[in-house]
Amino acid sequence: MSVGAPRGLASSGQKLITEILHPLSAAEEPLSPGPDVTISAEKDKEPGLTNGTPVEISSPASASVLLSRLQLDGDPEADAHDPFGSGEPRDLFVTVDDPKKHVSTMETYITYRVSTKTTRIEFDLPEYSVRRRYQDFDWLRIKLEDSQPTHLVPPLPEKFVMKGVVDRFSEEFVDTRMKALDKFLKRVADHPVLSFNPHLNAFLTAKDLNKRQGLALLTKVGESVKNVAGGYKLRARPAEFCAMGEYLDTFSQKLGTIDRIAQRILREQSEYLTELREYGAVYSTWAGSEEQLQRPLEGVAGCVTTSCGALEDLSDNMSQDFLPVLREYILYIESMKNVLRKRDQVQAEYEGRLEAAVLRKQEDRTPIPVEVEKCQDKVECFNADLKADWERWQRNKRQDFKHLLTGMADKNISYYEKSQAAWESLITLLQEKQTEDKTSETN
Amino acid sequence: MSDFFIRMLCISYNFIHYVKPSLELPGLFSVVRMRIASSADSSSNNSRSQMIMADSGSSDEVAVICNTDITSTESENNLINTMVERGTALLKKMEISVAEADKRTGKNTVNMQETYTVYLIETRPAESVSEEGTPAAPDTLWRRYSEFELLRTYLLVTYPYIIVPPLPEKRAEFVWHKLSADNLDPDFVERRRVGLENFLLRLASHPVLSNDNIFFLFLTEEKGWREAVLETGFQDKADSRLKSLSAMFRVKNPDKRFTALKHYSEDLSTVISQLLRIRARVADRLYGVYKVHANYGRVFSEWSAIEKEMGDGLQSAGHHMDTYAASIDDILEEEEHYADQLKEYLFYTEAVRSVCRKHELIQYELEMAAQDLSYKKQQKEELETGTVRIFSLKGMTSKLFGQETQEQRESKVAALEQSIQEGEDALKEKNAESQEFVEKAWNDIERFNEQKEKDLREALISYAIMQISMCKKGIQVWSNAKECFNKM
């Protein structure tokens, strides 16, 4: 499919950085038709330029989105239902499922079905279904990072697993990985900037993902941002970015601790389970040598067994659903820190160039070169993007962890409920017998 | 009446606040419930009429248990009163309890200083109400564990056909790591106090043992009791019985019922030991699981410090995690009651085996007496008829050295006849003894089996109630935590 010139969201992320004009420069960007809507109320949600220029949203699809948002009452509970959204009605739905093993002479690997449903006009069809393997997701992520260096790209589950330690083809591993890939794609699809990236489009629609396809230009640009300004030292990082960095460090540490605690609990539970199984078995043995007490004892053995099963479910859930999400957030935090570092570099370069230019101006009245002003733009755009993404990230994080922790609480409650039900039915049984005996005694 | 277990149930109900109005409770339990509800009224007359009116409960009465704060002494009294229904003469007369424990120091038999624990036995006339309506002051005396042991040994010897209730363990066994195995540890002493009281109540409610005078003196005469016991001369019987019990002997016609009983008690002993061992390991592991959750409490608290909107929810959730971790202490302490119930029956198996062995001894002695008699009869026959059927040295020597005189033979026959007469008397006596033993023993064994079925069933019920309570606590805590997470 054709990958034309990127259509214009005026935010920096979509345009080539070199093409962005200084907001105060004379030449104006032709604004595409669309309702001229000031969305100052939504400023903190949308990526915008720091000087307050309202953002024109040009694509009709997004315009209708805007319109519907204005028509609907702002829904504060949107987050509760849509953990990945920022409250906008979504027009791009992606799902990862249906893992399949492929065996070839060279290698064995797993592919997943990626299904897309959309009303966006960037897509030729309303529905797509393609098969992708982990490598493809990795490719997509690299491309996204390169082409949107000022934005936070969600993390992927870990790439390498030690062969022999983890079975790459076990149902559990594949299932865990698939859930993480699904989450990755959903987060990307949900991002107001990343979701319009042509690479994502290709990923979702192309029958054969030719990973060497075009867009080399973007790649070069991306590299230029990455390899920016070796040697420029950052003078003064704005306080808010310092705070972000500190927050991420502490948060990452706490998550690491929670991971360790959860693992320890799993270990203890496993040992408890082993003993509990043996314990139940002894009641069965005992029942064998009793007459009147046989049924009660078998009953106790049964309750213990039920509790064992319920405990196993709890442990499985913790290791398959809870821990992976935790670990993924640790990776997310690492990504975030990388983006912060990049930002620092961009700012450092700007400061360095500015200083040099000012000195020269003082010496021989050379005007400040345009490059320096462009650097300033870079910095400001980056800061803006980052702040917007940060807010979004914080919101999502809150939802994700609310979901994760309530899930953990639910699973524990469910475990106790199952166990309680078993014991309660045993009591009924035992006391039935008692009243039977009592009445037969008095008769 | 399974007094001990009713008491445990009462205490469990108190801790657990288990309310299930639809539950059909057995008649006895509803009786106890009524008693608890009318805690102020200690007159057993009133309570008995209330008992008659009580039927399996309405939800109101069940709620009363949960809210009533009964002391353990009260509940123990309640139990004793309910036992009066089907009680022994002794229990009709007096209430018995082991109220306290205390430490003493003194010189022991080898003149060394030692610290030991003494227990306060309280006895009170059964229907003691003074004019003001308060119960009269009890008679009290102090006893140490070794005196209980002496009492039991005396009963074992004096009533060999009775399964004598066991004492609580001398040293703590089957402990899980957090529990102390130290004899002077207050928790151990407390559990032992309960065990000793249970022992006395079992004796007091036994149809045979409750009438024993030495037992009565144990409860009422502090000084001079030891002498009284020794005066009964049971030591001699004890010694000779002990010797024969440890000797190896084979019974030709073992009683099948007793053999089966012996095997059953061996099986029971094995399985309960196993159960207690594994239960201790399970307790250890469960302790670990709960305690690790306290770490969540700490980390949530630390994490909440860097959060804005999420902070409060996290912090409160952390507190609940701490509560969860702390809750295991009480849970496992309660479970010790269950372990004690099992231990009692573990020790009971020894008493059962002891009765079986004593029967074997009597059987053996009977067989020996019969054998001895028939041997003598044959001898007499030989002498009379002159035939030597039994190979004997006498026979050989008479063949070698000539026959005896008529006189000698006649006197031998006369001696033998007397011996035979004595032997027949002895056999008759042994037979009677054996029959009496078997009759009394089986009486008691049947009583014991009934008691065991009831007690163990109720122990299992109370164990199930404990498990349910643990589940409810868990649900409560995690629900609270979930609420906090939802507020994040």
Side-chain angles (χ1 to χ4, degrees):
Chain A
M1 66 142 254
S2 66
V3 182
R7 281 248 232 134
L9 280 187
S11 82
S12 58
Q14 194 69 341
K15 280 199 169 299
L16 304 179
I17 289 170
T18 46
E19 270 183 45
I20 294 176
L21 300 173
H22 194 285
L24 297 178
S25 68
E28 299 243 318
E29 262 278 295
L31 298 175
S32 4
D36 188 355
V37 182
T38 337
I39 46 167
S40 45
E42 306 293 344
K43 221 190 304 209
D44 53 346
K45 281 193 182 173
E46 291 298 331
L49 301 176
T50 44
N51 61 5
T53 312
V55 173
E56 310 299 284
I57 297 187
S58 53
S59 71
S62 314
S64 64
V65 159
L66 250 185
L67 212 53
S68 45
R69 191 199 308 151
L70 291 168
Q71 285 162 356
L72 292 169
D73 230 57
D75 184 9
E77 288 310 314
D79 280 4
H81 306 306
D82 180 5
F84 298 110
S86 52
E88 307 155 24
R90 288 164 49 205
D91 54 359
L92 176 64
F93 297 88
V94 293
T95 316
V96 178
D97 60 5
D98 189 33
K100 276 201 170 52
K101 197 190 236 182
H102 294 256
V103 185
S104 73
T105 45
M106 295 290 285
E107 53 175 349
T108 308
Y109 59 90
I110 307 262
T111 61
Y112 308 86
R113 179 178 62 189
V114 175
S115 318
T116 309
K117 281 194 178 55
T118 179
T119 54
R120 291 191 183 176
I121 61 168
E122 284 83 2
F123 293 84
D124 292 339
L125 300 172
E127 283 188 33
Y128 291 93
S129 179
V130 295
R131 293 211 76 91
R132 298 284 179 251
R133 55 186 290 190
Y134 183 92
Q135 267 180 23
D136 303 333
F137 285 84
D138 201 32
W139 170 89
L140 175 62
R141 184 169 198 281
I142 293 174
K143 287 293 178 219
L144 286 175
E145 264 193 336
D146 286 351
S147 57
Q148 321 269 195
T150 62
H151 282 286
L152 179 61
V153 180
L156 278 177
E158 274 147 28
K159 186 171 195 167
F160 298 109
V161 276
M162 289 210 283
K163 290 190 193 173
V165 174
V166 178
D167 178 8
R168 288 180 303 138
F169 302 109
S170 77
E171 215 181 289
E172 275 169 25
F173 179 80
V174 169
D175 189 64
T176 304
R177 194 178 243 203
M178 187 181 75
K179 284 192 187 133
L181 292 174
D182 180 77
K183 198 176 272 182
F184 164 77
L185 215 51
K186 282 186 160 75
R187 281 178 172 146
V188 172
D190 227 56
H191 195 285
V193 174
L194 294 177
S195 61
F196 288 93
N197 187 290
H199 295 102
L200 176 67
N201 202 310
F203 177 89
L204 293 176
T205 60
K207 273 297 164 226
D208 278 310
L209 199 57
N210 185 347
K211 298 180 210 162
R212 281 180 294 263
Q213 203 173 44
L215 311 170
L217 204 55
L218 280 177
T219 314
K220 241 197 254 164
V221 168
E223 274 165 16
S224 84
V225 175
K226 257 193 248 160
N227 304 333
V228 109
Y232 287 108
K233 240 311 330 256
L234 183 64
R235 211 75 66 71
R237 190 190 293 121
E240 58 194 325
F241 297 112
C242 285
M244 281 184 200
E246 277 166 27
Y247 174 85
L248 289 175
D249 282 335
T250 312
F251 188 39
S252 174
Q253 207 189 60
K254 296 310 158 200
L255 289 185
T257 306
I258 295 179
D259 184 305
R260 276 192 301 280
I261 296 172
Q263 280 187 62
R264 174 97 184 272
I265 291 179
L266 280 174
R267 271 200 305 277
E268 299 280 344
Q269 275 176 346
S270 159
E271 296 184 344
Y272 171 58
L273 193 59
T274 310
E275 301 290 354
L276 206 58
R277 285 198 207 284
E278 220 185 308
Y279 182 60
V282 178
Y283 280 105
S284 280
T285 309
W286 186 1
S289 57
E290 294 288 339
E291 288 171 10
Q292 296 277 34
L293 288 175
Q294 185 180 29
R295 277 184 69 205
L297 288 169
E298 285 290 359
V300 172
C303 286
V304 173
T305 307
T306 305
S307 296
C308 286
L311 184 61
E312 235 183 339
D313 289 341
L314 174 63
S315 295
D316 284 345
N317 179 271
M318 286 300 282
S319 68
Q320 276 164 31
D321 291 339
F322 184 82
L323 283 178
V325 172
L326 210 57
R327 290 182 185 145
E328 182 195 286
Y329 251 89
I330 297 179
L331 291 174
Y332 216 159
I333 291 174
E334 282 313 306
S335 293
M336 202 61 166
K337 292 210 268 197
N338 274 336
V339 175
L340 281 177
R341 277 193 276 275
K342 279 191 243 169
R343 193 217 68 87
D344 282 352
Q345 282 169 348
V346 169
Q347 182 178 334
E349 187 191 348
Y350 166 63
E351 283 175 354
R353 286 189 199 258
L354 182 64
E355 200 179 309
V358 165
L359 281 173
R360 246 180 291 132
K361 187 170 182 188
Q362 285 173 348
E363 280 168 24
D364 53 15
R365 300 182 131 262
T366 325
I368 308 251
V370 182
E371 285 82 45
V372 176
E373 287 172 358
K374 284 186 182 155
C375 266
Q376 185 183 26
D377 291 349
K378 255 199 271 185
V379 173
E380 284 170 4
C381 292
F382 209 146
N383 289 352
D385 286 346
L386 196 50
K387 272 201 281 218
D389 271 3
W390 174 262
E391 290 305 316
R392 158 180 227 91
W393 185 83
Q394 282 285 14
R395 265 201 316 277
N396 286 341
K397 173 209 80 185
R398 188 175 169 197
Q399 286 310 316
D400 286 345
F401 277 95
K402 188 195 275 201
H403 187 69
L404 186 71
L405 292 170
T406 49
M408 171 170 94
D410 272 333
K411 290 298 184 241
N412 275 279
I413 291 172
S414 159
Y415 157 66
Y416 280 115
E417 281 176 345
K418 287 182 207 161
S419 184
Q420 179 178 342
W423 288 106
E424 277 178 343
S425 64
L426 178 68
I427 290 202
T428 328
L429 174 88
L430 292 178
Q431 285 182 322
E432 251 171 37
K433 194 79 209 309
Q434 257 190 344
T435 38
E436 257 176 52
D437 291 341
K438 276 263 167 303
T439 44
S440 66
E441 256 174 56
T442 50
N443 286 347
Chain B
M1 292 298 164
S2 43
D3 43 304
F4 184 66
F5 302 112
I6 300 286
R7 171 170 2 111
M8 288 305 126
L9 263 175
C10 290
I11 294 180
S12 306
Y13 263 50
N14 230 8
F15 283 145
I16 294 163
H17 306 292
Y18 180 74
V19 182
K20 204 163 193 236
S22 58
L23 204 59
E24 265 298 304
L25 295 172
L28 170 65
F29 198 76
S30 60
V31 160
V32 175
R33 214 164 5 104
M34 280 307 294
R35 189 78 183 92
I36 294 169
S38 62
S39 58
D41 178 23
S42 67
S43 146
S44 51
N45 266 334
N46 272 355
S47 64
R48 209 168 307 164
S49 57
Q50 279 177 330
M51 283 185 223
I52 296 167
M53 291 190 307
D55 72 331
S56 44
S58 68
S59 49
D60 291 342
E61 288 169 355
V62 183
V64 169
I65 294 185
C66 304
N67 297 326
T68 305
D69 213 354
I70 51 172
T71 63
S72 61
T73 339
E74 260 188 61
S75 67
E76 283 158 24
N77 285 341
N78 294 338
L79 289 160
I80 297 163
N81 281 329
T82 58
M83 282 168 51
V84 172
E85 263 192 296
R86 217 175 78 180
T88 54
L90 182 65
L91 280 178
K92 285 199 172 80
K93 279 201 295 188
M94 61 158 61
E95 294 174 12
I96 305 167
S97 68
V98 176
E100 284 169 38
D102 198 8
K103 283 213 209 4
R104 297 275 166 84
T105 45
K107 296 244 161 122
N108 64 7
T109 45
V110 290
N111 221 26
M112 289 193 1
Q113 279 284 75
E114 59 168 5
T115 311
Y116 55 90
T117 316
V118 286
Y119 300 88
L120 184 69
I121 302 185
E122 279 185 2
T123 49
R124 191 185 278 130
E127 296 185 21
S128 60
V129 185
S130 63
E131 285 78 56
E132 296 88 57
T134 52
D139 295 318
T140 65
L141 49 79
W142 293 93
R143 292 267 184 236
R144 57 184 292 191
Y145 189 83
S146 56
E147 291 176 280
F148 281 86
E149 280 181 314
L150 182 57
L151 171 65
R152 184 162 192 272
T153 311
Y154 162 79
L155 291 172
L156 275 172
V157 169
T158 315
Y159 304 91
Y161 43 86
I162 296 287
I163 299 171
V164 179
L167 284 169
E169 52 193 358
K170 191 154 195 182
R171 264 163 286 279
E173 278 175 49
F174 301 111
V175 283
W176 59 282
H177 86 277
K178 205 223 156 199
L179 276 200
S180 167
D182 173 23
N183 279 6
L184 294 173
D185 173 59
D187 283 333
F188 177 74
V189 168
E190 170 58 20
R191 295 217 320 279
R192 203 197 241 187
R193 180 196 67 77
V194 170
L196 290 175
E197 184 178 278
N198 184 58
F199 170 72
L200 293 180
L201 290 174
R202 287 242 191 248
L203 291 182
S205 59
H206 192 283
V208 174
L209 299 176
S210 60
N211 298 317
D212 185 274
N213 193 43
I214 294 289
F215 173 51
F216 184 76
L217 293 176
F218 181 87
L219 297 173
T220 53
E221 292 288 323
E222 184 155 2
K223 305 269 178 279
W225 176 75
R226 240 179 219 271
E227 289 71 20
V229 182
L230 296 175
E231 257 170 49
T232 59
F234 85 100
Q235 287 283 46
D236 308 325
K237 267 198 268 173
D239 290 338
S240 72
R241 280 243 114 85
L242 266 173
K243 273 198 217 121
S244 14
L245 279 178
S246 54
M248 299 291 288
F249 56 85
R250 263 214 52 181
V251 171
K252 290 212 191 93
N253 287 316
D255 186 321
K256 287 213 179 65
R257 290 185 304 171
F258 278 99
T259 312
L261 181 63
K262 189 166 73 153
H263 288 151
Y264 167 73
S265 77
E266 280 163 5
D267 288 343
L268 190 62
S269 170
T270 308
V271 89
I272 294 185
S273 300
Q274 243 184 327
L275 199 59
L276 286 168
R277 249 194 323 273
I278 299 183
R279 194 208 70 89
R281 293 207 301 261
V282 167
D284 256 336
R285 293 294 172 206
L286 190 59
Y287 185 80
V289 170
Y290 270 73
K291 285 300 178 192
V292 177
H293 281 79
N295 292 313
Y296 274 147
R298 206 182 50 237
V299 78
F300 284 167
S301 181
E302 291 167 5
W303 179 9
S304 72
I306 59 170
E307 295 291 342
K308 286 171 276 191
E309 306 122 328
M310 281 168 61
D312 288 334
L314 269 178
Q315 175 92 309
S316 339
H319 290 323
H320 292 300
M321 289 295 98
D322 287 332
T323 306
Y324 181 71
S327 68
I328 190 66
D329 295 309
D330 283 343
I331 289 171
L332 288 178
E333 178 58 41
E334 253 188 270
E335 257 194 38
E336 283 309 308
H337 294 309
Y338 175 66
D340 285 340
Q341 290 171 329
L342 293 179
K343 275 183 207 168
E344 191 193 14
Y345 274 90
L346 176 65
F347 304 146
Y348 252 126
T349 59
E350 275 175 45
V352 172
R353 269 202 298 278
S354 162
V355 170
C356 291
R357 289 221 72 187
K358 285 174 204 158
H359 167 76
E360 270 183 9
L361 180 63
I362 288 179
Q363 180 78 348
Y364 178 73
E365 288 173 354
L366 182 63
E367 283 177 2
M368 286 293 107
Q371 198 180 16
D372 189 60
L373 182 64
S374 88
Y375 178 67
K376 285 181 189 154
K377 282 188 175 161
Q378 277 214 304
Q379 271 193 314
K380 178 177 159 217
E381 203 194 308
E382 271 178 27
L383 274 179
E384 282 175 341
T385 58
T387 55
V388 182
R389 234 169 307 163
I390 307 169
F391 181 82
S392 72
L393 198 57
K394 205 82 180 78
M396 287 311 301
T397 50
S398 65
K399 273 227 157 103
L400 289 171
F401 299 112
Q403 299 278 10
E404 311 155 302
T405 60
Q406 183 71 7
E407 261 178 27
Q408 280 177 325
R409 206 169 343 132
E410 272 171 13
S411 73
K412 275 209 195 104
V413 169
L416 259 179
E417 267 177 13
Q418 175 146 15
S419 184
I420 287 172
Q421 186 58 44
E422 285 167 3
E424 274 178 351
D425 289 339
L427 184 61
K428 216 173 16 184
E429 215 183 282
K430 271 283 169 217
N431 245 323
E433 188 188 333
S434 170
Q435 272 180 2
E436 190 188 336
F437 184 98
V438 168
E439 192 183 310
K440 288 187 180 165
W442 274 106
N443 237 352
D444 198 52
I445 288 166
E446 269 163 29
R447 180 206 61 81
F448 170 76
N449 271 330
E450 255 186 61
Q451 173 198 295
K452 177 203 80 180
E453 302 274 336
K454 271 220 185 80
D455 288 348
L456 288 177
R457 185 192 296 268
E458 294 205 14
L460 292 177
I461 291 178
S462 80
Y463 182 69
I465 291 178
M466 279 182 225
Q467 298 308 304
I468 291 172
S469 157
M470 179 171 87
C471 291
K472 287 191 174 179
K473 281 188 197 163
I475 293 174
Q476 184 69 65
V477 164
W478 280 103
S479 298
N480 290 341
K482 181 177 169 183
E483 244 181 75
C484 297
F485 291 141
N486 266 326
K487 292 200 195 118
M488 273 180 13

